[in-house]
Amino acid sequence: MASKATFLLIFMALMASAEAHVFYVGGRDGWVVDPSESYNHWATRNRFQVNDTLVFKYKKGEDSVLVVNEVDFDACNVSNPIQRLDGGDSAFKLDRPGRFFFVSGDADQCRKAEKLLVAVMAVRTKQPIIPPSPSTSPPPSSYGGGMTTSSPPLPPSLPPYIVGLSPAPSAFVPEATSSSCALSMAVGLLVVVQLMLVGSMSMVV
């Protein structure tokens, strides 16, 4: 009956959490005095998390498993256990993160290294799946797409109809000075005087 109850407990622990694992303490050797692999080495090469289950395999009536605190673990004190497992094939569920201390119910066997320290990691958490945010696409180009774009605004100081026109070249007009005007008049008078002298000489002849 005890074996059936133990297997039922293991099955319920597996059903409680699909991600939980069952660890058989000591592997094939089970919970014994002189295992082929030390329990410390066995514990360090495994990773324990909340809801995992430890199974201690031993002969009922010849041995047992005690859950103790750290002080009693170091001293192999079997008189003040937190929990006692003595059904033969005992299952223990790791229900919290932290450290658990197990010793044999026989103090002499505990002193011969039949003791186990298990460090349990934090609760498994699944990372939420975050959908990718919609990316903002740039506006379509106006070239070749049949769309027109607005031209840049014209400067307020220039009317639209003269934008882009180059200024007309201005004609060069030299400045008239008073000296040049006087010289022209003098030349004109000399010409008139010469004409008059020529005319008077022709009449005398």
Side-chain angles (χ1 to χ4, degrees), residues 15-93:
M15 295 298 294
S17 176
E19 295 184 356
H21 301 283
V22 176
F23 295 90
Y24 288 86
V25 177
R28 295 180 179 179
D29 295 333
W31 187 240
V32 295
V33 175
D34 189 20
S36 57
E37 180 183 17
S38 68
Y39 294 115
N40 289 335
H41 185 270
W42 178 86
T44 54
R45 68 179 180 84
N46 288 291
R47 298 180 64 185
F48 306 97
Q49 298 189 5
V50 175
N51 294 326
D52 287 346
T53 300
L54 299 179
V55 177
F56 297 83
K57 296 181 68 66
Y58 56 92
K59 291 181 180 181
K60 182 180 179 180
E62 296 183 4
D63 204 346
S64 60
V65 182
L66 303 182
V67 184
V68 296
N69 57 36
E70 185 174 1
V71 176
D72 292 340
F73 176 83
D74 294 334
C76 282
N77 182 12
V78 298
S79 61
N80 186 33
I82 299 173
Q83 185 177 349
R84 184 182 184 89
L85 308 173
D86 55 5
D89 291 334
S90 301
F92 182 85
K93 184 177 181 179

Side-chain angles (χ1 to χ4, degrees), residues 5-16 22:
T6 301
F7 287 121
L8 179 60
L9 179 60
I10 296 173
F11 177 76
M12 293 176 63
L14 289 173
M15 295 298 294
V22 176

